Amino acid sequence: MASPTSSRMSPAVHPVARSAGSARARALDVAVSLIVFAYNLPIQGTASLAALLVPVGLCLAYLLSRHRPVLAFVLVMAVAFVQPLVGLGLLVADVMVVLTLVRVAAARPWTVSIPTATVAAAWTLAITVSTRHTDGLTPGDIGLFVAIVLVAWLVGTLTRTRRLYVESLEERALQAERERDTGTRIAVLDERARIARELHDVVSHGLSAIVLLSEGAASMAETDPDRARNAMLSVRDTGRHAMTEMRSMLSVLRSEDDATDPQPTLAGLENLLELSRTVGVPVTLRVEGAPRTLTAGTELVIYRVVQEALTNVRKHAGPVETVEVCMRWTDDGVAVSVTDDGWGGDSATGGLGVIGMRERVEAVGGSLTAEPADHGFVVHAWIPAPA
């Protein structure tokens, strides 16, 4: 989707405006041809048919130079070479040789413009030398005419160089705008993926706990009202916690400021495990090595990985006897694994939760695997965090 800026930088030319511009250009070329012919007519006169046809041919050929510069130059030079053959010397209309040369040099590369300039200079030198006595030309005059041809080529070449430079600047600007748009789209997609991961972790974890607690409360409502009541209180607390996190996320999304509410850290890991125990998941925590302080982002990644892994245990593992969360601290980082002895199998590997966990871990330079084990399922994450 192009941004408004890019559309302003490369506006579409309206057909009416394009047609009007072409009409003005044609009118200008016709006016130049008529002026040159009218100025040449009283000087050259109409003593012979050739004296009239040669200027006409030169001026008419020039009319093609805007869109077909090489063809126009060939026609102009063809008429110019006929000029001395019919007994004519230098004409005012010979200025068309210079004007068409400018058009060729402005529109074509040097591989074309240099040969055309050479032909024009050779013709100028030949006709001025052959008519120097009748026209009273000095060697300086002859050199001046040849220099005019070379200056015409230089003017056309500089015009082409400037046009190409401006076009390259416009292309760079458009390319930069496209890259900025692409970067914006990538940033938007990344942010959407991040929001989706957060929502999935909050909603999925909370709702799965609420479902299990409410099912347990319903089954014990008549046989053990006290336990059912305690289960419903846990449903209430879990729902409130999930709603609090949801409100925090939504307030951040609606605000232009950065998030101010604290994100989950490893300090809240025990509360997370206690919630799982409340819904019947016998989870234990094992820590190896010496824990140390991590960045808030890294602690959030670890917390979300454990949270989603325990959610998957509740969803897919079925009846379990042991669930272990192991954190192994090394000098290079921390390895986190969540292992259960259920029968979840491959059903726990292809959901959005595993994708979200992997994206979180890879975002901090780590790696994650989630696969069936010999007896159950294991999620293993490695998060680099040098001491």
Side-chain angles (χ1 to χ4, degrees):
M1 180 178 63
S3 68
T5 306
S6 61
S7 62
R8 288 196 299 268
M9 294 180 63
S10 56
V13 180
H14 195 277
V16 175
R18 187 187 300 112
S19 177
S22 299
R24 286 194 295 268
R26 287 194 298 269
L28 179 62
D29 291 342
V30 172
V32 170
S33 297
L34 290 177
I35 291 172
V36 171
F37 180 78
Y39 190 75
N40 179 89
L41 189 60
I43 297 176
Q44 190 66 32
T46 57
S48 65
L49 183 61
L52 180 63
L53 293 181
V54 169
V56 170
L58 292 172
C59 293
L60 287 178
Y62 171 75
L63 296 178
L64 300 174
S65 62
R66 185 174 295 275
H67 301 292
R68 304 288 295 277
V70 176
L71 176 61
F73 180 81
V74 170
L75 294 177
V76 166
M77 292 309 303
V79 176
F81 276 109
V82 172
Q83 183 177 321
L85 300 179
V86 296
L88 296 177
L90 284 174
L91 303 175
V92 174
D94 289 334
V95 72
M96 293 307 183
V97 174
V98 175
L99 296 181
T100 52
L101 176 60
V102 171
R103 289 278 172 83
V104 172
R108 296 293 182 266
W110 63 270
T111 53
V112 176
S113 64
I114 288 182
T116 57
T118 303
V119 171
W123 174 85
T124 302
L125 182 63
I127 195 170
T128 52
V129 169
S130 63
T131 60
R132 67 184 185 280
H133 298 298
T134 57
D135 293 335
L137 299 177
T138 65
D141 296 331
I142 296 174
L144 178 62
F145 282 122
V146 175
I148 289 174
V149 173
L150 298 180
V151 169
W153 172 81
L154 181 61
V155 169
T157 301
L158 292 178
T159 301
R160 179 176 183 271
T161 301
R162 181 181 181 279
R163 188 187 74 249
L164 294 178
Y165 176 70
V166 172
E167 290 176 354
S168 68
L169 291 180
E170 292 176 349
E171 179 61 28
R172 290 178 188 175
L174 291 175
Q175 181 65 26
E177 186 65 26
R178 286 192 292 266
E179 291 177 356
R180 186 160 56 249
D181 291 342
T182 301
T184 301
R185 287 195 296 270
I186 292 174
V188 169
L189 292 176
D190 288 343
E191 184 63 13
R192 288 174 61 182
R194 186 187 69 83
I195 294 172
R197 288 194 299 268
E198 292 290 339
L199 288 174
H200 179 273
D201 291 343
V202 172
V203 175
S204 178
H205 180 79
L207 288 182
S208 63
I210 289 172
V211 169
L212 291 176
L213 286 170
S214 59
E215 288 179 349
S219 64
M220 296 182 296
E222 296 181 358
T223 59
D224 195 343
D226 291 337
R227 291 185 63 188
R229 182 177 178 276
N230 292 333
M232 292 308 299
L233 290 176
S234 297
V235 169
R236 180 199 64 187
D237 296 338
T238 303
R240 285 178 177 175
H241 180 71
M243 289 179 63
T244 300
E245 290 200 44
M246 286 288 294
R247 288 195 188 100
S248 176
M249 292 182 60
L250 292 177
S251 65
V252 172
L253 293 177
R254 291 179 179 140
S255 173
E256 295 181 357
D257 300 327
D258 293 335
T260 56
D261 292 340
Q263 293 291 325
T265 63
L266 294 183
L269 195 59
E270 186 57 41
N271 293 332
L272 180 66
L273 301 183
E274 185 59 33
L275 176 60
S276 294
R277 298 187 188 106
T278 302
V279 297
V281 177
V283 58
T284 58
L285 176 63
R286 180 164 57 93
V287 179
E288 299 178 0
R292 60 179 179 275
T293 302
L294 302 176
T295 63
T298 303
E299 291 196 8
L300 176 61
V301 169
I302 297 174
Y303 182 94
R304 293 303 190 195
V305 168
V306 174
Q307 182 184 51
E308 178 58 30
L310 293 178
T311 300
N312 284 343
V313 170
R314 293 197 295 268
K315 286 182 177 180
H316 306 292
V320 293
E321 294 183 3
T322 59
V323 178
E324 182 184 68
V325 176
C326 177
M327 296 183 63
R328 183 168 54 85
W329 296 83
T330 67
D331 292 338
D332 297 329
V334 55
V336 181
S337 61
V338 180
T339 308
D340 66 76
D341 58 356
W343 42 263
D346 294 334
S347 61
T349 62
L352 295 177
V354 174
I355 295 176
M357 286 191 293
R358 182 171 290 112
E359 289 177 348
R360 285 183 183 279
V361 173
E362 291 178 352
V364 295
S367 60
L368 182 138
T369 58
E371 56 191 3
D374 294 337
H375 300 286
F377 195 84
V378 59
V379 174
H380 180 80
W382 165 254
I383 294 93

